[in-house]
Amino acid sequence: MKLPLPHPFILLLGTVAFAALLTWILPSGAYERAPDPSGGRVLVVAGSYHRVPPAPVGPIAAVMAVPRGIIAGADVVVLILVVGGAFALLDSTGAMARLVGAIAGSATRPRVTVALISVVFASLGALENFHEEIIALVPVLLLLSRGLGFGAITALSMSLGAATVGAAFGPSNPFAAGLAFKFAGLPQLSMAGLRSILLVIAVAVWIGWTLASVSRDDVRPDVAPNDTQRATAKDFLLLFTLTLPIVVYVCGVLSFDWGFNELTSLFLVAGLAVGLLAGRSWRETAESFIKGMESMLAAALFVGIARAISLVLTEGQVIDTIVAGLVAPLSRIPVLAAAALMVPVHALIHVPVASNSGQAVLTMPIMAPVADLLGISRDAAVMAYQTGAVLTDLITPTSGTLLAILLKADVPYGRWLRFVVPGVLLLWVVGFAGIFIML
């Protein structure tokens, strides 16, 4: 008999409570921190871990951490609402259904279409850590997958899965590899040639796993049938208008260090433009935009609540204890074993620290000197972070984005794990190969 998992909302709240419990069990400790003069961030000083007075988080403080976590993640919460509202507005015009129908109807080889879509999402992940934005695309992806003859697991694999693989192995992802290079003291795009080869191999492995699993994709939620009308030139214009912000944002990230607020602003303008181009009045456009945002409320809240987990562990002075406890054993084992174990260590740390950039800032100033002491190259240490931390976005129950996507796709968390865990383990093999080559 299968054990049913709780609703994602309850699962996240339970994890917040468990994090609070850990602050009463684990010893309190902290690393010293120093400002980074070049980037304005605060860096961890390697080798500076020390015990500090206990600061356990009580029940009231744990409950208060939930709204505080939502506030702390306000930039992502607002992004999800606005992007979701914009895509819902486009969908309400009927353009998305007609375009999806055109793609599905013209696909003489559905598996090739799945592979091509996976490459597109992997490229977005490699360029700018494309992740939260996928929440708004779930209904469209479900329609497309069903039109190709597949189910929800395939829809998420060729989008969320491929984007995460691209984000993990892409040397140009500013929120993962970029920050890891910086805090490991390496030049940007270090060993870019080898990393690009690993990216191509990893994406190919993931596409192969996706296609090998389509026959077992038994998750087929009810979706609206595709529009039987032909796609028009206006439909393509509306789609172009709403996807243009992604292109502009990627350029902004790579050239001007843009963040989520800039992306939100771009989609706000694009969403309004879509409504007006579709022939709606300002009032009708605003009403459709807001109605679309309402459908994204649960997803946005999940991401905010997930922030409360790391908030509790940080204020309870145990997050550094968890990191120190996981890193310490690496210095007492052979070099090859230590290099390999960096991957699961990063994966475990990613459960309480579900932010790629946050984990890079926290762990790489520690892992880089540890790698030096062990005789491991810093490039290998960065590869271990990419493989262990970023890929864990596909698994960890503390990822509000993952839970929000699964909820919208009507995919049970347990069913998703049965599909994704073997695929992630295959990708770990690619990561281990990269680490050993870089040693």
Side-chain angles (χ1 to χ4, degrees):
M1 183 178 71
K2 296 180 180 180
L3 179 65
L5 291 174
H7 189 279
F9 183 68
I10 302 301
L11 184 61
L12 283 172
L13 291 179
T15 308
V16 173
F18 181 69
L21 178 63
L22 288 179
T23 66
W24 291 83
I25 298 174
L26 298 178
S28 299
Y31 286 99
E32 294 179 6
R33 285 166 166 78
D36 173 24
S38 62
R41 296 176 179 268
V42 178
L43 302 183
V44 175
V45 178
S48 64
Y49 177 79
H50 58 281
R51 298 288 292 273
V52 298
V57 175
I60 296 177
V63 174
M64 289 294 295
V66 174
R68 292 176 58 218
I70 295 173
I71 294 171
D75 56 345
V76 181
V77 170
V78 175
L79 169 68
I80 292 170
L81 291 174
V82 172
V83 174
F87 273 98
L89 194 158
L90 176 62
D91 186 54
S92 69
T93 67
M96 288 303 299
R98 289 189 291 272
L99 290 168
V100 168
I103 295 174
S106 61
T108 57
R109 302 180 66 182
R111 290 172 178 262
V112 174
T113 303
V114 169
L116 292 176
I117 293 172
S118 298
V119 170
V120 170
F121 276 94
S123 300
L124 290 171
L127 286 172
E128 62 96 4
N129 207 62
F130 199 76
H131 197 56
E132 287 86 358
E133 301 89 335
I134 296 174
I135 298 174
L137 300 177
V138 170
V140 177
L141 291 165
L142 291 177
L143 272 174
L144 178 57
S145 184
R146 291 300 298 271
L148 295 173
F150 307 126
I153 295 290
T154 303
L156 299 190
S157 181
M158 66 183 179
S159 55
L160 172 65
T164 304
V165 173
F169 288 91
S172 59
N173 179 1
F175 300 105
L179 285 175
F181 287 141
K182 176 180 176 61
F183 297 129
L186 294 171
Q188 292 297 307
L189 300 177
S190 179
M191 300 187 72
L194 175 58
R195 293 180 188 278
S196 297
I197 293 172
L198 291 171
L199 170 63
V200 172
I201 294 173
V203 172
V205 168
W206 184 256
I207 291 174
W209 175 247
T210 301
L211 295 179
S213 303
V214 293
S215 62
R216 300 189 298 274
D217 186 357
D218 56 351
V219 182
R220 307 290 176 105
D222 292 331
V223 294
N226 288 335
D227 197 314
T228 56
Q229 300 179 24
R230 295 175 60 88
T232 65
K234 178 180 282 189
D235 293 335
F236 285 98
L237 174 61
L238 296 179
L239 180 63
F240 172 79
T241 302
L242 202 54
T243 54
L244 183 60
I246 298 175
V247 178
V248 176
Y249 177 65
V250 169
C251 296
V253 168
L254 298 177
S255 303
F256 307 109
D257 196 28
W258 280 8
F260 285 141
N261 288 336
E262 286 80 3
L263 182 59
T264 301
S265 301
L266 290 171
F267 268 105
L268 177 62
V269 174
L272 294 173
V274 164
L276 297 176
L277 288 173
R280 298 185 177 181
S281 66
W282 282 99
R283 181 181 183 86
E284 292 170 335
T285 298
E287 290 175 346
S288 298
F289 211 146
I290 293 173
K291 185 177 180 180
M293 290 184 190
E294 291 174 356
S295 67
M296 300 298 293
L297 181 59
L301 285 177
F302 289 173
V303 174
I305 295 172
R307 292 291 184 96
I309 299 168
S310 59
L311 186 65
V312 167
L313 294 174
T314 300
E315 295 188 348
Q317 299 280 18
V318 297
I319 189 70
D320 287 359
T321 298
I322 294 173
V323 173
L326 291 172
V327 171
L330 296 178
S331 61
R332 298 193 290 269
I333 58 178
V335 173
L336 288 177
L341 282 177
M342 281 186 174
V343 173
V345 164
H346 275 295
L348 290 172
I349 293 173
H350 203 61
V351 175
V353 186
S355 163
N356 294 333
S357 57
Q359 183 160 343
V361 173
L362 174 64
T363 61
M364 290 317 300
I366 301 169
M367 287 296 195
V370 168
D372 293 341
L373 292 173
L374 296 175
I376 300 171
S377 75
R378 293 194 172 194
D379 278 296
V382 171
M383 191 74 243
Y385 154 76
Q386 292 176 265
T387 305
V390 187
L391 282 179
T392 307
D393 282 337
L394 289 173
I395 298 174
T396 177
T398 58
S399 169
T401 301
L402 172 61
L403 296 182
I405 290 173
L406 294 180
L407 181 67
K408 287 191 73 67
D410 199 20
V411 175
Y413 178 65
R415 176 65 184 88
W416 172 252
L417 288 183
R418 291 198 299 275
F419 160 76
V420 79
V421 169
V424 169
L425 292 178
L426 288 174
L427 294 171
W428 273 25
V429 174
V430 179
F432 285 141
I435 291 169
F436 295 147
I437 294 172
M438 295 175 185
L439 282 178

